[in-house]
Amino acid sequence: MHFESPIKRRHSRQIMVGDVPVGGGAPISVQSMTNTETCDIDATVAQIRAIAEAGADIVRVSIPSMDAAEAFKKIREEVSIPLVADIHFDYKIALKVAEYGVDCLRINPGNIGNKDRVRAVVDCARDKNIPIRIGVNAGSLEKDLQKKYGEPTPDALVESAFRQIQYFDELDFHEYKLSLKASDIFMTVEAYRKIASQIDNPLHLGITEAGGLRSGTVKSSIGLGLLLMDGIGDTLRVSLAADPVQEVKVGWDMLRSLKLRNRGINFIACPSCSRQNFDVIKTMNQLEERLDDITIPMDVAVIGCVVNGPGEAKEADIGLAGGSPNNLIYQDGKPNSKTKNDALVDDLEKMIRKKALLKEQELANIIVKN
């Protein structure tokens, strides 16, 4: 099933994070963040490369100390993907990593300090053409806002953001994006909706501290999904207490499901029941593991019986419909071949890889012609 997303995206200004455009109608970029000890340069570089391999466009690295800033210098030399430095408390760290080729600075209004410190960061960013992310978080609001509102609220998040926005405007600095994150879905969604209608700066989406792989995926999918359906969001990070590679995969799954971006295989698979003519769950697990390296977009249907199997298979690039005594494989909407249960995973993998290669060649020809 191939059709354009009906989502109408919010108009926003565009900034550049390294060579990745954010906002202004650019594809919604997928981010993740390292969870290694930044001073462990080898481990951090290895994780950044794994995150990039999984499909991330941008990677954020925590810089909690000057030692970490010095480590960042060496990390920057080893990887090419755009890097965001995550800065809290000490504005001087931001100034240091700016010297070392950082592509974006993330500062937290709740703890970065007074206006003089913010001005120093902005002046440095302007001088070196580095964008800034204003990262408002419900867990670290300014003390006076905590007192005013009693607890984190959407309005408190928005007010915190506008303090920085107004100061950035006074400094005539406009190369920034914003995030307004909370672990509560309702608070996060309302805060983003409120600010999205008042500014045109790009917005970085996320549900902060969403939880582990399963619960965090669910919370992030609901919260980010609501915002993305509204057309809100220019870049996103799925925050999971899990391997950062999983954050990237979940982020891509969200965008693929909403037809906002496409990468890799979109599997259409039934949950299976007693009608299945082969073990659907086992088959899917094997296919996902074997075909994780394919990045060209394509649809693959794996349906265990003849109730919905032929219909779904006809709509996919490659489809499998369970049958007895043999299962039927479709290609481009037409029956192609039959396969037995003990060979179906191997047969499907061969056909999918062949189809993926053909699609890559077609795409390369289009690029050459243009």
Side-chain angles (χ1 to χ4, degrees), residues 95-107:
L95 306 183
K96 180 60 68 174
V97 294
E99 297 177 12
Y100 296 153
V102 73
D103 297 291
C104 182
L105 294 166
R106 184 274 170 122
I107 61 172

Side-chain angles (χ1 to χ4, degrees), residues 9 17 32 44 67 69 83 89 204 207 238 269 281 300 323 332 363:
R9 293 180 59 195
V17 179
S32 185
T44 304
D67 286 342
L83 298 180
F89 303 110
H204 168 119
I207 304 293
V238 179
I281 295 173
V300 174
D332 298 324
L363 180 61

